[in-house]
Amino acid sequence: MDINKDIIRGLLIDSVHSKTEAKDFFTKNLNSSELLNMLVEVAIDDYSGDARMEAAYWISKFDTTLLKSIEKDLLRIQEDELDSIACHILVALGRIKSEEGLKFLIEKRIEPEMYWESQALKYYYSDILEE
């Protein structure tokens, strides 16, 4: 597969607008590590917010084996200030049962809004969250 960042960006923007051809392209290529790496690059730093958001969405759909291979990148992207990007990455980290992702989710996303619920979750997952 010959991947060009400009073409991928265009397809991501088309996908946001529910264009079938773009959605079909991504659906058919969810096993491509080359595409996954390009989507990570776009999600981390692209001038198009729509492309970044949709890249995060499609990343979350990839096979868990491929997602595990980019866990460090996912952990970095989960901290994005835009919830429309971070939320999809949180799902991807959940799919691979990332311990660091779980810790971030509880401490940085749940605890600030739902303190007592986060405390309960910390007990549920104390074997994972011990520091």
Side-chain angles (χ1 to χ4, degrees):
M1 172 190 313
D2 183 29
I3 294 186
N4 172 304
K5 190 172 184 178
D6 292 327
I7 292 171
I8 296 302
R9 181 184 302 109
L11 287 167
L12 287 166
I13 293 167
D14 285 348
S15 179
V16 167
H17 298 288
S18 299
K19 294 196 176 173
T20 304
E21 183 179 300
K23 289 184 176 282
D24 288 348
F25 170 81
F26 291 110
T27 300
K28 290 177 184 173
N29 289 290
L30 290 175
N31 61 349
S32 168
S33 60
E34 185 181 4
L35 177 59
L36 179 58
N37 290 329
M38 177 68 64
L39 293 176
V40 166
E41 190 177 315
V42 171
I44 289 173
D45 183 35
D46 195 84
Y47 64 82
S48 169
D50 282 352
R52 291 183 68 224
M53 174 184 67
E54 198 70 357
Y57 168 78
W58 285 108
I59 288 168
S60 74
K61 301 294 184 187
F62 273 75
D63 181 78
T64 56
T65 303
L66 287 172
L67 291 175
K68 285 179 184 179
S69 73
I70 62 160
E71 183 175 2
K72 287 182 183 179
D73 291 320
L74 297 175
L75 291 169
R76 195 166 105 205
I77 301 169
Q78 78 177 343
E79 297 183 36
D80 198 282
E81 64 185 28
L82 297 175
D83 282 343
S84 60
I85 294 166
C87 67
H88 298 299
I89 301 305
L90 294 171
V91 169
L93 287 164
R95 290 186 59 227
I96 63 170
K97 300 185 180 2
S98 168
E99 291 180 9
E100 288 300 311
L102 176 61
K103 185 175 182 179
F104 178 87
L105 179 63
I106 292 172
E107 293 178 355
K108 304 295 184 191
R109 302 291 295 224
I110 297 172
E111 189 169 315
E113 300 297 322
M114 300 184 332
Y115 177 80
W116 292 111
E117 290 84 347
S118 73
Q119 298 310 300
L121 287 171
K122 286 179 181 181
Y123 283 111
Y124 277 110
Y125 295 106
S126 61
D127 57 323
I128 295 171
L129 299 174
E130 288 179 351
E131 296 180 43

